[in-house]
Amino acid sequence: MPDARRRFEYRLRFPDGARRVIPIVLDGTTLGCVEPPPVARAWTALACHRCPHCPLDAAEALCPLAARLDPLVEVLGSVLSYEALDVEVASGERTVSTHAPAQAVASSIIGLIGATSGCPHTAFLKPLAWFHQPFAGEEETVFRAVSAWFLKQHFRELDGETPDWSLAGLRQRYDALHTVNVHLARRLRQASSADATANAIVRLDMFTKAISGEIDDILGFLRGRLG
């Protein structure tokens, strides 16, 4: 049986010795984000830099993705991209430790919260978030995304639905995700006094573009290594 909830803790230590913790809790049934809760700020309002393809009702007060990133902005919004942090990411019995630029740390956190935030354009990433791998690189990200997509198509076929083995649907979802990244970066530039959080989106968008535009090359590379 799946866990009722899954908790991730990003434990950050700054060069001056200061320590901060950003906890992220996912619901085991919906795979949605329970913690951090949404926070109302000017930059988290749905109307602020709203994505042109957002399907949410205009009556909604907050962008579900931006509203859950408030703790990240509080901790890293005044930090420069290149400032290196000591990081531990703890979940269950596993702890991953690294020394990484603030941009990479913010990118990993945004990827996890974003997938589970309630944004309709990131919902397809929920299963990857449940099995979150901090600081995953481009090849690993592509491998996990495509593997999860094919598993989903297998279940669709078992349910009598038409599977998409061509990856066309996955490409479309990542194209839509690119638009989300562009507008979220604008929000984070408005909310932050330094560049770590906005540049984290630039890093995430590199992976998005890789899956959307370079997937065949990466899969060709991986194909020869699957035996």
Side-chain angles (χ1 to χ4, degrees):
M1 294 294 292
D3 299 336
R5 289 188 172 185
R6 183 160 294 181
R7 180 183 178 90
F8 299 87
E9 280 193 356
Y10 274 77
R11 304 164 182 166
L12 315 182
R13 182 161 65 88
F14 292 83
D16 64 0
R19 296 175 183 268
R20 298 296 297 273
V21 176
I22 299 178
I24 302 159
V25 180
L26 308 183
D27 180 85
T29 301
T30 66
L31 305 189
C33 185
V34 177
E35 186 181 350
V39 175
R41 307 284 187 198
W43 64 275
T44 68
L46 184 62
C48 178
H49 299 297
R50 181 175 180 173
C51 297
H53 63 350
C54 177
L56 298 178
D57 192 300
E60 295 287 338
L62 302 177
C63 165
L65 199 170
R68 293 187 184 275
L69 294 181
D70 186 71
L72 174 72
V73 171
E74 180 187 352
V75 173
L76 294 178
S78 60
V79 178
L80 295 171
S81 294
Y82 57 79
E83 185 172 339
L85 311 177
D86 291 318
V87 187
E88 288 186 348
V89 185
S91 178
E93 298 179 352
R94 177 188 300 170
T95 300
V96 176
S97 301
T98 190
H99 185 71
Q103 173 181 331
V105 178
S107 177
S108 191
I109 294 171
I110 292 171
L112 175 55
I113 293 177
T116 58
S117 65
C119 170
H121 290 297
T122 64
F124 75 101
L125 296 170
K126 281 184 178 181
L128 296 182
W130 185 255
F131 298 105
H132 178 58
Q133 294 294 320
F135 310 107
E138 183 177 287
E139 288 179 8
E140 182 180 0
T141 299
V142 172
F143 184 85
R144 296 178 70 237
V146 173
S147 297
W149 180 260
F150 282 150
L151 182 59
K152 177 179 179 179
Q153 304 318 306
H154 169 67
F155 290 136
R156 285 176 61 88
E157 192 169 51
L158 290 178
D159 291 339
E161 302 177 35
T162 302
D164 171 23
W165 301 115
S166 70
L167 297 174
L170 184 63
R171 294 177 197 269
Q172 291 171 0
R173 283 165 173 78
Y174 273 96
D175 286 343
L177 186 58
H178 167 67
T179 300
V180 173
N181 290 339
V182 169
H183 289 78
L184 181 59
R186 293 172 183 172
R187 291 175 182 271
L188 291 172
R189 289 190 186 98
Q190 176 178 326
S192 304
S193 60
D195 64 358
T197 58
N199 282 348
I201 301 297
V202 175
R203 184 175 184 273
L204 281 174
D205 205 47
M206 290 174 56
F207 297 158
T208 298
K209 291 177 180 177
I211 293 177
S212 178
E214 303 172 21
I215 191 169
D216 292 331
D217 292 339
I218 296 174
L219 289 179
F221 172 82
L222 292 172
R223 181 177 182 178
R225 287 152 179 80
L226 292 177

